[in-house]
Amino acid sequence: VPVLLFVAAPYIRRYVAGGRCKSTARMEGKVVIITGANTGIGKATARDLAQRGKCSARVIIACRDIAKAEAAASEIRAETGNQQVLVKKLDLADTKSIREFAEKFLAEEKELHVLINNAGVMLCPYSKTADGFEMHLGVNHLGHFLLTFLLLERLKQSAPARIVNVSSLAHHGGRIRFHDLHGEKSYNRGLAYCHSKLANVLFTRELARRLRFKLQRKVGCTKVTANALHPGSVYSDLVRHSFVMSWLWKIFSFFLKTPCEGAQTSIYCAVAEELDSVTGQYFSDCQPAYVSPRGRDDETAKKLWSVSCELLGIQWD
């Protein structure tokens, strides 16, 4: 058995690694925001985009922990030679921080070509954001919903532009519980994560529909695409809130993607030329993937959009 495992190991690893982004698209002159890019697949995505071209993209790492983000940015600058890897403070668990980030970005940057909503929390004990939202819903969905709303006009002005939402296969286990969005009646940390990842898929679907409708009607005409993705099971600190999951992740790390492997679909959605006009889709391993029936429910997507706007106190028509 040990001999067989030794012989099979390279093939197992190749299977686990999944699809790779084969695009050689360059990113000269592009401005990119990646949330939560101080570690894991976000950091790997930032590294890749930072080295695409002789004078590559201006990559903005938007994170809550400035010290960790600065360390990551410094490492990426040293590895890629791209000195335009910058750090900006963003706490997705606080709408005040999100608004301050957007205000400063819009004042300093005249263009935005790619917004990668990558940051997320998983398996958190019950807690709420600064605005009283359940943590998974607040960070994974509502925080990125508000950030996208605040930056959308800049994306339109810079079109063609792309919005990339990092969701998960876990969306198959989610449902939008409108009667108990913040888990005050019942709470399960695993299901809360699934619910938030389903919200990512529904948000992507409805956003793409609205952008496509305006383009077809030539009302606020824009070429901005929005796609969601599943990065795979990645060996990262996303499971840090669960001792059991952290333990299992270490034991089975051989069967998990590395952050670089997990970043491939994010990179693909951000740069692949064949996706120039593709919007409202869901990808895994750099190819279209199956979306759960709940993730294809347009009525739920519309209602979630409306409720999200109400919770955030915004009007987004």
Side-chain angles (χ1 to χ4, degrees), residues 22-41:
K22 298 177 182 178
S23 171
T24 57
R26 297 162 75 90
M27 298 291 285
E28 280 102 343
K30 302 293 185 182
V31 179
V32 180
I33 292 175
I34 308 175
T35 66
N38 63 316
T39 187
I41 66 173

Side-chain angles (χ1 to χ4, degrees), residues 21 33 48 94 99 131 174 218 220 245 250 258 277 301 306:
C21 176
I33 292 175
D48 182 281
D94 186 346
R99 290 181 181 279
D131 302 274
K218 301 190 184 303
M245 287 297 291
K250 287 181 181 179
T258 65
S277 299
S306 176

